Amino acid sequence: MSKLRLDKVVAAIIQASAVTLDTPKSLEKIISLIREAAASGAQVVVCGETWLPGYPAWLDYLPNVALWGHGPSKDVFAELYRNSITVPGEECTLLSKLARELKFVIVIGVNERVEVGPGNGTIYNSLLTFDSDGTLVNHRRKLVPTYTERMIWGHGDGKDIGAVETGIGRVGGLICWEHWMPLARQVMHESAEQIHAAVWPTVHDLHQLASRQYAFEGRCFVLAAGIVMKVSDLPKQFELPIELAAEPNRLILRGGSAIIAPDASYLAGPIFDQETILLAELDLSQIRREQMTLDTTGHYSRPDVFSLTVNRKRPGETS
């Protein structure tokens, strides 16, 4: 069945802290916030990188976590695995029902665990998109965990890279530093993306730059979603350095979420240092107006010179 084409869409970003390493409480919180966004008139919502059940900021802010045999790191990894979700699974079912009830598109970053088959025992940094009829229309895994992230996440694949048709237009997404992978960006652009979820742990200056560049290059709307996280949200298994222990309310992830137009201008935000829901109306006709001067998959491409192929098999798949 063909999807209804809308001219204007109200989009939202939920900028909030998860309940670290506690999936049931995090899920309860995000469901409440999604309902709040929907009540404000939004038709699509984006949440930050691995929002469920939290981004592992301890990798960058705490000492000794990378030491071989470090007991607290092992304990936290085991707890993260236990609280990561399976796809499909109970958490997906709840989010699917919510999307269907609200007639609402949900894009959310999750820690995903694999229990059986190829990759079992692995945690992936994944991005899930639920259509307004409740269908999970996209399930993709971050291609390359960045730097210290490789301690806990496996390498993703190209299975679901690209935008998908939803009730409010073609929606896609990349995770954090995938926005600096030129070929990944081009694959996304060629999928005729209209609304792009750019999920980050925090959208600092360089991440703002990457998000605005993506909007300009792809001639699409970008929802750059960050997370808020305090020192007190770090896993309790770790002993904090004195300077952090003295400031439990200090923000280590500051949000910075923003909604960006196809000409790279800001429609909302960026907003730092607070939990909030950003809202903006997206005029999808602006995409065509901006494509007059730059269309990286059309008149500004040279398929006779360049070619790009994508391996869309997930490990273990034979077809």
Side-chain angles (χ1 to χ4, degrees):
M1 183 175 69
S2 62
K3 297 286 186 179
L4 177 65
R5 288 285 184 173
L6 302 177
D7 291 327
K8 295 185 178 180
V9 173
V10 178
I13 296 173
I14 292 175
Q15 178 171 289
S17 60
V19 183
T20 304
L21 300 179
D22 191 326
T23 291
K25 289 183 179 179
S26 293
L27 193 61
E28 181 181 358
K29 178 174 182 176
I30 202 64
I31 287 174
S32 175
L33 290 171
I34 288 172
R35 289 188 180 280
E36 184 179 339
S40 298
Q43 298 157 281
V44 56
V45 67
V46 176
C47 310
E49 183 175 5
T50 59
W51 198 93
L52 198 64
Y55 181 80
W58 49 273
L59 289 169
D60 296 320
Y61 285 92
L62 299 179
N64 302 324
V65 295
L67 291 179
W68 184 264
H70 190 244
S73 296
K74 290 183 177 182
D75 292 342
V76 171
F77 179 84
E79 190 71 6
L80 178 61
Y81 184 87
R82 188 176 70 83
N83 277 273
S84 295
I85 73 168
T86 59
V87 182
E90 177 184 353
E91 294 81 9
C92 287
T93 298
L94 289 173
L95 290 168
S96 173
K97 288 181 179 178
L98 182 66
R100 183 168 61 250
E101 174 196 339
L102 299 176
K103 296 179 174 57
F104 195 82
V105 176
I106 299 171
V107 185
I108 184 169
V110 302
N111 288 277
E112 176 200 355
R113 74 176 187 263
V114 176
E115 296 181 328
V116 296
N120 69 84
T122 299
I123 304 175
Y124 292 100
N125 178 338
S126 299
L127 191 62
L128 307 180
T129 303
F130 296 88
D131 199 356
S132 51
D133 64 0
T135 304
L136 177 62
V137 288
N138 203 300
H139 164 211
R140 63 172 309 265
R141 295 167 175 169
K142 187 175 183 180
L143 293 168
V144 182
T146 302
Y147 196 46
T148 52
E149 293 174 354
R150 298 177 200 186
M151 292 174 57
I152 58 171
W153 289 325
H155 281 69
D157 52 68
K159 181 176 176 62
D160 285 328
I161 189 168
V164 292
E165 197 73 37
T166 74
I168 49 94
R170 293 190 62 80
V171 176
L174 291 176
I175 303 168
C176 201
W177 278 30
E178 288 182 326
H179 290 87
W180 281 303
M181 299 176 72
L183 299 185
R185 295 202 311 269
Q186 187 62 21
V187 172
M188 296 298 300
H189 301 334
E190 291 181 0
S191 67
E193 190 177 30
Q194 294 174 292
I195 300 171
H196 176 77
V199 297
W200 309 88
T202 188
V203 198
H204 57 56
D205 288 350
L206 281 176
H207 296 168
Q208 295 287 338
L209 178 66
S211 299
R212 296 183 69 191
Q213 145 71 16
Y214 189 97
F216 187 89
E217 179 182 274
R219 293 317 203 201
C220 61
F221 291 90
V222 170
L223 278 63
I227 299 169
V228 173
M229 186 177 188
K230 297 178 181 179
V231 169
S232 58
D233 295 324
L234 291 167
K236 307 308 179 189
Q237 292 89 336
F238 294 114
E239 182 178 352
L240 300 182
I242 294 174
E243 64 273 15
L244 288 181
E247 298 183 87
N249 292 322
R250 173 182 160 189
L251 290 177
I252 55 176
L253 298 180
R254 299 181 51 221
S257 299
I259 299 176
I260 304 163
D263 62 357
S265 64
Y266 285 114
L267 298 177
I271 296 179
F272 290 89
D273 301 336
Q274 61 179 288
E275 293 200 350
T276 187
I277 298 176
L278 284 77
L279 293 165
E281 183 179 76
L282 316 183
D283 180 357
L284 300 185
S285 69
Q286 186 179 355
I287 293 172
R288 297 299 176 216
R289 295 198 296 272
E290 298 303 328
Q291 284 176 332
M292 179 178 178
T293 51
L294 176 66
D295 178 5
T296 54
T297 68
H299 64 75
Y300 227 87
S301 69
R302 287 294 303 274
D304 56 319
V305 177
F306 305 107
S307 64
L308 175 60
T309 60
V310 183
N311 176 7
R312 296 192 177 274
K313 288 184 180 179
R314 187 148 283 171
E317 290 184 345
T318 57
S319 61

